[in-house]
Amino acid sequence: MSENKLKTVILGLNEGGKLLIEASQAAGLFEIEAVADKDINLVEKTANELKCEAYDDFRQLITATDSRLSRDNRVLFVAEYTSACDEYIKMAMKKKFNVLKLPPIGRNFDEAAEFVRLGEEEKIIFTIANTGRYAKGFLALRDYIMKNKLEQVFLVTVFCTFSEPPPNTWHTDPKLSGGGVLLHDCYRIIDQIVLNFGLPQQIYSLNTNQAKDKQQRSYLTEDTAVVTLKFSDTLVGNIITSRRSGIGPQQEYLRFFDKDKILTVNEKQLNIRDGRGEIAGQQEFSDTELERMTLLLRDFAISILSPEENKSVSTGRENLKNMAVIESAYLSARTGFPEEPARIIQMPPAVPTIQMKFD
């Protein structure tokens, strides 16, 4: 049975890495060969439990497993923050590892585009683990839209609040993190916006943070963002998001307004109200993040094992649209003017690459 499983190495044993381990075991299509993390005690403990190799050096993880594993159907799971492993992701791609990365796809559009370019050059599968695509609440939304053919949506609004990150970490450094709450916490809901409503024509954004020292500005990533989206002359939207501490539970929902309906959705609930605000339908779900990740990993594995019959899921190329939205928001916050995601996609990269094409 193990001969039919994908030989898998995992980079990063944070909470995301632990989720990937559990989900890969539940999916039944992966055999973990090695794990790596900077915490030597954690990596040795995890490797002992999994009966696999342990590394605290990311480069050694890639080079050692490259020499030991066949180049057929091998996989790298990336849970580590991009700032700590970007060069090793590229190294793995060049050595023909298929790569599944926890979101975001990169710290900025150029970095993301470079990952996509390299993956396509090396003819490997590069997938971003957007588990929201497998959440029953969002699947119910997609099903409702397809069945009811809503064509008069005029307003899309998103509200998200998240726990404040620990102070003095990589979150506070824009070079290491690429961004704050918008990039790292809102990525999955932005993925849903783009999936359901397409790429906005224009974006205008205002950002701020909770840094106390406004003169030194040592803390530059945003804790709060208000983003306005223009999809067309008849459809606009906004995103309001903030990190906070000690002010109630985390919240996250997407709401949109049709001619005679208001739909509110998150991962576990779809609520439909009529034009008078009365409930016209409601669905609640109890699926977990582990269940969503397991489904995603199964599809990822099948797309590698049987690529002719199975399309890749949440590809890097698809996710460039998400990054164009986020990068446009950050650019607008700096310039004070609306920005166009389509221009970000069409911009020549910082280094020569193949031309990106989109449907």
Side-chain angles (χ1 to χ4, degrees):
M1 180 64 180
S2 63
E3 294 179 357
N4 299 323
K5 294 183 178 181
L6 296 170
K7 304 300 182 181
T8 303
V9 297
I10 300 178
L11 200 164
L13 295 177
N14 49 30
E15 290 303 313
K18 295 174 185 176
L19 175 63
L20 287 170
I21 290 172
E22 288 187 66
S24 64
Q25 292 174 325
L29 295 170
F30 302 87
E31 184 171 344
I32 300 175
E33 297 285 340
V35 293
D37 195 274
K38 294 297 184 182
D39 185 333
I40 186 62
N41 294 325
L42 175 61
V43 76
E44 288 181 349
K45 178 177 181 292
T46 304
N48 184 57
E49 293 172 351
L50 297 173
K51 295 180 173 55
C52 69
E53 297 294 322
Y55 298 91
D56 63 349
D57 183 295
F58 296 161
R59 180 180 296 276
Q60 189 178 6
L61 169 76
I62 303 302
T63 56
T65 52
D66 173 53
S67 62
R68 185 160 56 87
L69 301 179
S70 166
R71 289 204 168 192
D72 294 330
N73 299 338
R74 57 185 182 179
V75 167
L76 171 68
F77 289 162
V78 181
E80 184 58 76
Y81 302 123
T82 311
S83 59
C85 65
D86 56 328
E87 63 180 294
Y88 308 113
I89 297 173
K90 295 173 186 176
M91 178 188 296
M93 287 179 170
K94 291 176 181 177
K95 294 182 181 297
K96 307 297 184 182
F97 282 82
N98 297 289
V99 176
L100 180 137
K101 185 181 184 302
L102 296 187
I105 182 175
R107 289 170 290 181
N108 53 57
F109 185 86
D110 276 355
E111 182 174 67
E114 177 64 11
F115 288 150
V116 172
R117 179 198 66 80
L118 188 55
E120 292 181 350
E121 281 188 349
E122 299 297 337
K123 295 181 172 57
I124 56 95
I125 291 178
F126 176 42
T127 288
I128 306 305
N130 286 315
T131 54
R133 298 189 181 195
Y134 290 80
K136 290 184 178 179
F138 289 126
L139 289 173
L141 170 65
R142 294 283 289 175
D143 184 62
Y144 185 90
I145 290 175
M146 291 181 67
K147 288 181 178 178
N148 293 274
K149 297 182 180 179
L150 302 179
E151 297 178 349
Q152 298 187 55
V153 177
F154 58 89
L155 176 62
V156 178
T157 181
V158 168
F159 180 75
C160 305
T161 60
F162 304 95
S163 299
E164 183 181 10
N168 302 318
T169 69
W170 64 272
H171 290 86
T172 67
D173 186 331
K175 184 175 181 180
L176 291 178
S177 66
V181 65
L182 202 59
L183 174 64
H184 292 282
D185 297 307
C186 291
Y187 191 91
R188 60 184 177 181
I189 201 73
I190 290 172
D191 183 60
Q192 287 297 318
I193 293 172
V194 174
L195 269 178
N196 288 290
F197 303 103
L199 197 67
Q201 294 178 5
Q202 290 185 320
I203 292 177
Y204 178 74
S205 180
L206 296 173
N207 299 345
T208 187
N209 60 39
Q210 300 172 27
K212 296 179 180 179
D213 187 350
K214 298 300 182 182
Q215 293 182 339
Q216 294 295 325
R217 303 297 293 177
S218 58
Y219 178 11
L220 296 175
T221 59
E222 82 286 353
D223 291 312
T224 301
V226 178
V227 183
T228 301
L229 314 168
K230 178 183 178 182
F231 295 90
S232 68
D233 290 339
T234 58
L235 175 58
V236 296
N238 63 31
I239 301 170
I240 300 174
T241 183
S242 184
R243 287 196 187 113
R244 61 187 186 176
S245 58
I247 314 177
Q250 175 174 316
Q251 299 180 63
E252 185 177 20
Y253 65 78
L254 185 158
R255 178 175 293 155
F256 62 95
F257 298 77
D258 187 51
K259 179 182 178 182
D260 55 4
K261 293 183 181 65
I262 302 171
L263 281 77
T264 304
V265 62
N266 58 30
E267 292 178 335
K268 292 193 173 185
Q269 187 178 79
L270 174 62
N271 181 289
I272 305 168
R273 293 181 180 270
D274 60 24
R276 295 171 296 180
E278 296 180 358
I279 294 178
Q282 186 167 311
Q283 299 180 60
E284 295 189 3
F285 308 97
S286 58
D287 54 315
T288 66
E289 186 68 2
L290 175 58
E291 291 170 334
R292 298 168 201 142
M293 184 65 80
T294 300
L295 291 171
L296 186 150
L297 291 187
R298 284 177 182 164
D299 282 351
F300 173 66
I302 292 170
S303 72
I304 296 172
L305 296 170
S306 303
E308 296 82 7
E309 298 85 19
N310 298 279
K311 183 181 178 181
S312 299
V313 297
S314 190
T315 64
R317 181 175 290 278
E318 291 176 59
N319 279 263
L320 287 181
K321 295 181 181 180
N322 299 340
M323 284 304 301
V325 169
I326 293 167
E327 187 123 328
S328 295
Y330 285 142
L331 182 59
S332 173
R334 294 195 298 270
T335 64
F337 293 96
E339 300 294 340
E340 300 176 7
R343 292 185 62 185
I344 299 292
I345 289 176
Q346 294 168 5
M347 281 172 55
V351 295
T353 69
I354 61 174
Q355 181 65 38
M356 292 294 179
K357 296 180 181 179
F358 291 86
D359 297 332

